Amino acid sequence: MLGRAMADYCRTDTAGLFRSGDFGGRISYIQDLLPDLPGYALTLYTNASTLGRLFGSLAGGAAALLLGYRHAYWGCLLLLISAFVLMIPQSTSFSAG
């Protein structure tokens, strides 16, 4: 049924969106993905978060300098839409009954 498949999708694939409301939730989510490597999970999250903020700010500033702020905002919107499209599962199987 479509309702059950949608519920399963929301529960499994987008659980990270709902778990990442606070810092502890985000760390717990990463550690759930890597249960045998808790230190590695924390380091991976911390470094990725820092590098994301660093390169995001640099790229946004460069885009605003080269293209103007209006085009930089449109580029951010395009990246946001692309991220949501990538979160859609590639294949879904619906079972009859």
Side-chain angles (χ1 to χ4, degrees), residues 14-39:
T14 59
L17 290 175
F18 301 111
R19 291 186 196 174
S20 63
D22 60 335
F23 181 76
R26 291 178 282 200
I27 292 298
S28 296
Y29 180 68
I30 297 294
Q31 286 180 347
D32 283 345
L33 295 174
L34 302 166
D36 297 333
L37 305 167

Side-chain angles (χ1 to χ4, degrees), residues 27-69:
I27 292 298
S28 296
Y29 180 68
I30 297 294
Q31 286 180 347
D32 283 345
L33 295 174
L34 302 166
D36 297 333
L37 305 167
Y40 181 80
L42 179 60
T43 303
L44 177 68
Y45 171 76
T46 305
N47 289 339
S49 177
T50 302
L51 288 174
R53 286 191 304 268
L54 174 72
F55 289 125
S57 298
L58 288 172
L65 181 67
L66 295 173
L67 304 172
Y69 283 102

Side-chain angles (χ1 to χ4, degrees), residues 9 13 85-93:
Y9 168 73
D13 290 338
V85 168
L86 289 174
M87 288 175 32
I88 296 172
Q90 296 299 318
S91 63
T92 56
S93 61

